[in-house]
Amino acid sequence: MVNIITGGSDSVREDLFTDKIKEAAQQGRDVLVIVPDQFSFDYEKKLYDSMGAKLFNGIRTAGFNRLAEKITEKYGGYSRENAGDNARMILMYKAVRRFSKEGGVKFYKKSLDKGSFISELIDLTGKLRQSGVTPDDLALAADRLEGTVSLKLADLSRLFRYYLDELDNAQMKDEVSEMAAAAELAKEREYFKGADIFVSSFNSFTYDEEKIIDLCISQGAGFTISLLMDNDSVKSFHSHSFAVTVRTEQQITDMAKAHNKSINMILADRREGRSYDIGFLGRELFNYSRAGYTAQSEDVKIFSADDVYEETDFICAEICRLVREENYRFSDIACTARDLSKFAPVLESMFEKYD
């Protein structure tokens, strides 16, 4: 059985998901919970608080990278040292020097001596590997296309191949190659056989992660995934922000059908007692012909600032007011941004100023 639980951020989606984990644990089943590596500690704490120590100690939790490590530790088969940032930089530099020395550069001749080009290549090859694209794929595409695109792909194909050669010569691996090897081991040894697998906090998967998910569905006794997706927005508006998640839902459905697994679609209800103001904003945010809001809003406020310093100053002052005057705790408050890297330096100094 494949369970797909969908719902917005104001739904009971995660409650339903946690209940299913708890139910499987109570039945003494082999439970594996997969969440992003960077969220695993917080998610483990959440599960511990929800399930209690006895049930929690009977389940396994891991991110994909940690899961790959566990698979290779159990079965062996990929005992190479991980290539860190500096090692990848050196190996890519050697690949570029080899490319330049052998000649036949079609497009990137002027870029080969630039340090920034090497950094861009490392980022690009990582994305290509995560997407399952090989040097042969790039070379084939270069043959089929014409013009500048063909020349670029031909160069990138050789650079990509030389980088993989350097990685192999150095007897090193990266996270992507380890995950690919782990997927092969898991398939061969039926690592997920009989397990109840639960997946949450993803909206898409890399190529190798998809391989592991496919194995979870084919080998596991049960598979449950929780997807953050406002079903009302998806049904009502073409301009919603859940296109990637909708595609992931379809991928899971296709995998389940390919392995003749029954599919159970669960639409999570909205929580009771939510703010009408925020609910209205959620419904109309992606609607191009959005309706006007005539009532006085208590829960949604807009502040317009001249720059990021004025904006963060207001945010910090408002946080302090909520804590001092309205009995909030700092842990009750979240500060979010589209791109936190732009705000982080200013926020850090302003947070320190306001203690």
Side-chain angles (χ1 to χ4, degrees):
M1 170 72 77
V2 173
N3 300 299
I4 303 177
I5 307 174
T6 59
S9 57
D10 61 346
S11 70
V12 296
R13 171 181 54 86
E14 277 297 294
D15 294 338
L16 296 176
F17 181 74
T18 305
D19 287 345
K20 284 193 171 293
I21 296 174
K22 191 173 182 178
E23 179 183 348
Q26 287 173 335
Q27 294 174 0
R29 305 184 68 84
D30 178 16
V31 175
L32 170 62
V33 182
I34 302 176
V35 294
D37 290 273
Q38 64 269 30
F39 300 154
S40 59
F41 177 78
D42 289 332
Y43 211 90
E44 286 177 2
K45 183 177 182 300
K46 172 185 173 182
L47 288 176
Y48 181 90
D49 292 340
S50 173
M51 301 172 63
K54 184 177 180 179
L55 286 178
F56 176 78
N57 289 331
I59 70 173
R60 295 177 289 156
T61 61
F64 279 108
N65 291 328
R66 179 61 186 139
L67 185 61
E69 291 175 6
K70 287 183 176 181
I71 293 171
T72 51
E73 285 172 5
K74 183 173 182 178
Y75 302 118
Y78 215 85
S79 57
R80 294 184 175 185
E81 181 185 353
N82 263 320
D85 293 339
N86 290 335
R88 288 197 297 271
M89 186 72 72
I90 293 170
L91 295 176
M92 183 59 76
Y93 173 78
K94 293 176 69 175
V96 170
R97 298 311 300 167
R98 175 184 169 186
F99 183 47
S100 177
K101 185 177 180 180
E102 291 185 358
V105 183
K106 296 183 177 181
F107 183 85
Y108 289 109
K109 188 174 293 186
K110 295 182 179 179
S111 301
L112 297 181
D113 294 328
K114 298 179 180 178
S116 60
F117 183 62
I118 293 177
S119 298
E120 291 171 0
L121 285 174
I122 292 172
D123 183 57
L124 177 61
T125 53
K127 291 177 179 177
L128 290 172
R129 299 196 70 186
Q130 287 177 346
S131 301
V133 179
T134 67
D136 290 338
D137 293 332
L138 295 179
L140 184 61
D143 291 338
R144 290 177 176 175
L145 298 172
E146 298 178 354
T148 303
V149 174
S150 175
L151 300 178
K152 287 182 177 180
L153 290 176
D155 283 356
L156 291 173
S157 173
R158 289 178 61 192
L159 285 165
F160 192 5
R161 190 184 307 279
Y162 293 164
Y163 172 69
L164 294 180
D165 288 345
E166 294 297 337
L167 199 64
D168 193 54
N169 292 337
Q171 293 292 298
M172 303 187 82
K173 63 178 172 42
D174 55 19
E175 290 179 348
V176 179
S177 57
E178 182 174 30
M179 195 174 299
E184 290 300 317
L185 284 170
K187 181 179 181 180
E188 179 184 337
R189 303 297 185 93
E190 295 188 319
Y191 178 81
F192 301 104
K193 186 175 182 180
D196 275 272
I197 298 111
F198 298 84
V199 180
S200 181
S201 304
F202 294 92
N203 64 349
S204 64
F205 303 102
T206 67
Y207 178 77
D208 290 317
E209 288 171 352
E210 286 178 14
K211 285 184 178 180
I212 292 178
I213 290 294
D214 188 67
L215 290 172
C216 290
I217 292 174
S218 63
Q219 297 177 1
F223 180 87
T224 301
I225 185 168
S226 172
L227 294 173
L228 176 59
M229 183 168 65
D230 190 297
N231 297 300
D232 290 340
S233 293
V234 171
K235 292 176 183 177
S236 303
F237 310 127
H238 292 296
S239 55
H240 61 76
S241 61
F242 303 102
V244 173
T245 315
V246 170
R247 186 163 61 250
T248 300
E249 180 187 35
Q250 186 60 52
Q251 286 177 321
I252 299 298
T253 302
D254 292 342
M255 290 177 188
K257 290 179 179 178
H259 296 296
N260 296 317
K261 300 283 187 174
S262 57
I263 302 169
N264 181 28
M265 303 295 296
I266 303 172
L267 305 181
D269 294 329
R270 296 188 185 278
R271 293 186 182 278
E272 295 182 0
R274 71 181 186 133
S275 163
Y276 179 80
D277 297 346
I278 297 175
F280 182 89
L281 181 64
R283 289 193 305 273
E284 299 296 329
L285 187 62
F286 305 109
N287 182 10
Y288 285 153
S289 58
R290 56 180 70 109
Y293 189 72
T294 56
Q296 180 68 35
S297 176
E298 296 294 332
D299 299 322
V300 178
K301 299 177 181 179
I302 299 174
F303 173 75
S304 177
D306 290 334
D307 53 42
V308 64
Y309 299 98
E310 183 180 354
E311 185 176 1
T312 51
D313 188 68
F314 170 81
I315 290 169
C316 292
E318 180 66 8
I319 290 173
C320 289
R321 186 191 67 81
L322 291 171
V323 172
R324 292 169 181 168
E325 299 179 11
E326 299 192 24
N327 297 319
Y328 278 82
R329 295 181 179 181
F330 286 108
S331 59
D332 296 329
I333 301 169
C335 183
T336 68
R338 180 188 294 274
D339 184 0
L340 194 58
S341 62
K342 296 179 180 179
F343 281 81
V346 182
L347 279 173
E348 287 175 1
S349 62
M350 201 67 74
F351 278 12
E352 184 176 356
K353 172 185 173 182
Y354 278 85
D355 194 26

